[in-house]
Protein backbone atom coordinates (compact mmCIF):
# COMPACT_ATOMS: atom_id res chain seq x y z
CA UNK A 1 0.00 0.00 0.00
CA UNK A 2 1.06 3.57 -0.67
CA UNK A 3 -0.11 6.52 1.38
CA UNK A 4 -1.72 9.36 -0.57
CA UNK A 5 -3.49 12.57 0.31
CA UNK A 6 -6.67 13.45 -1.53
CA UNK A 7 -9.01 16.38 -1.03
CA UNK A 8 -12.68 15.40 -1.03
CA UNK A 9 -15.85 17.28 -0.15
CA UNK A 10 -16.81 16.89 3.52
CA UNK A 11 -20.30 15.63 2.64
CA UNK A 12 -18.79 12.79 0.59
CA UNK A 13 -16.61 11.74 3.54
CA UNK A 14 -19.62 11.89 5.87
CA UNK A 15 -21.66 9.75 3.47
CA UNK A 16 -18.80 7.24 3.21
CA UNK A 17 -18.56 7.08 7.01
CA UNK A 18 -22.31 6.56 7.28
CA UNK A 19 -22.65 3.72 4.77
CA UNK A 20 -19.31 1.93 5.26
CA UNK A 21 -20.52 -0.15 8.24
CA UNK A 22 -23.83 -0.87 6.48
CA UNK A 23 -21.85 -2.40 3.60
CA UNK A 24 -19.59 -4.37 5.93
CA UNK A 25 -16.51 -2.14 5.73
CA UNK A 26 -14.42 -1.38 8.80
CA UNK A 27 -14.25 2.31 7.93
CA UNK A 28 -14.71 4.88 5.21
CA UNK A 29 -11.19 4.52 3.79
CA UNK A 30 -11.57 0.86 2.79
CA UNK A 31 -14.91 1.75 1.19
CA UNK A 32 -13.32 4.63 -0.73
CA UNK A 33 -10.57 2.27 -1.92
CA UNK A 34 -13.21 -0.22 -3.04
CA UNK A 35 -15.09 2.45 -5.00
CA UNK A 36 -11.89 3.65 -6.67
CA UNK A 37 -10.88 0.08 -7.49
CA UNK A 38 -14.29 -0.76 -8.94
CA UNK A 39 -14.31 2.33 -11.15
CA UNK A 40 -10.78 1.63 -12.30
CA UNK A 41 -11.60 -2.00 -13.18
CA UNK A 42 -14.65 -0.89 -15.20
CA UNK A 43 -12.59 1.63 -17.16
CA UNK A 44 -9.71 -0.80 -17.71
CA UNK A 45 -12.10 -3.47 -18.97
CA UNK A 46 -13.81 -1.01 -21.30
CA UNK A 47 -10.51 0.26 -22.69
CA UNK A 48 -9.08 -3.25 -23.08
CA UNK A 49 -12.25 -4.35 -24.89
CA UNK A 50 -11.80 -1.42 -27.26
CA UNK A 51 -8.26 -2.59 -28.03
CA UNK A 52 -9.41 -6.19 -28.52
CA UNK A 53 -12.12 -5.03 -30.93
CA UNK A 54 -9.59 -2.98 -32.87
CA UNK A 55 -7.20 -5.95 -32.99
CA UNK A 56 -9.93 -8.28 -34.25
CA UNK A 57 -10.91 -5.79 -36.96
CA UNK A 58 -7.27 -5.45 -38.02
CA UNK A 59 -6.79 -9.22 -38.15
CA UNK A 60 -9.92 -9.56 -40.32
CA UNK A 61 -8.54 -6.92 -42.70
CA UNK A 62 -5.37 -9.01 -42.91
CA UNK A 63 -7.32 -12.08 -43.91
CA UNK A 64 -7.65 -13.98 -40.65
CA UNK A 65 -10.84 -16.01 -40.79
CA UNK A 66 -13.67 -15.72 -38.27
CA UNK A 67 -13.18 -19.39 -37.34
CA UNK A 68 -9.55 -18.76 -36.37
CA UNK A 69 -10.51 -15.61 -34.46
CA UNK A 70 -13.27 -17.45 -32.56
CA UNK A 71 -10.91 -20.31 -31.66
CA UNK A 72 -8.29 -17.87 -30.41
CA UNK A 73 -10.82 -15.93 -28.35
CA UNK A 74 -12.13 -19.14 -26.78
CA UNK A 75 -8.59 -20.08 -25.73
CA UNK A 76 -8.29 -16.76 -23.94
CA UNK A 77 -11.82 -16.50 -22.53
CA UNK A 78 -12.04 -20.01 -21.01
CA UNK A 79 -9.06 -19.58 -18.63
CA UNK A 80 -10.39 -16.18 -17.49
CA UNK A 81 -13.88 -17.60 -16.90
CA UNK A 82 -12.38 -20.49 -14.93
CA UNK A 83 -10.37 -18.08 -12.77
CA UNK A 84 -13.49 -16.05 -12.02
CA UNK A 85 -15.52 -19.13 -11.08
CA UNK A 86 -12.71 -20.31 -8.76
CA UNK A 87 -12.76 -17.01 -6.85
Amino acid sequence: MTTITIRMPEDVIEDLKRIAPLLGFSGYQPLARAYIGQGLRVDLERLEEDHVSELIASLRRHGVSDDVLQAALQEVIKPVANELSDS
Side-chain angles (χ1 to χ4, degrees), residues 56 59-60 63-76:
I56 290 170
L59 290 170
R60 281 189 177 124
V64 176
S65 72
D66 283 340
D67 290 339
V68 171
L69 290 172
Q70 287 295 353
L73 286 171
Q74 287 303 314
E75 287 179 17
V76 173

Side-chain angles (χ1 to χ4, degrees), residues 15-36:
D15 288 342
L16 287 168
K17 287 179 180 178
R18 184 171 51 87
I19 67 165
L22 301 173
L23 295 175
F25 288 87
S26 60
Y28 77 95
Q29 291 178 346
L31 178 58
R33 282 192 297 270
Y35 282 141
I36 292 168

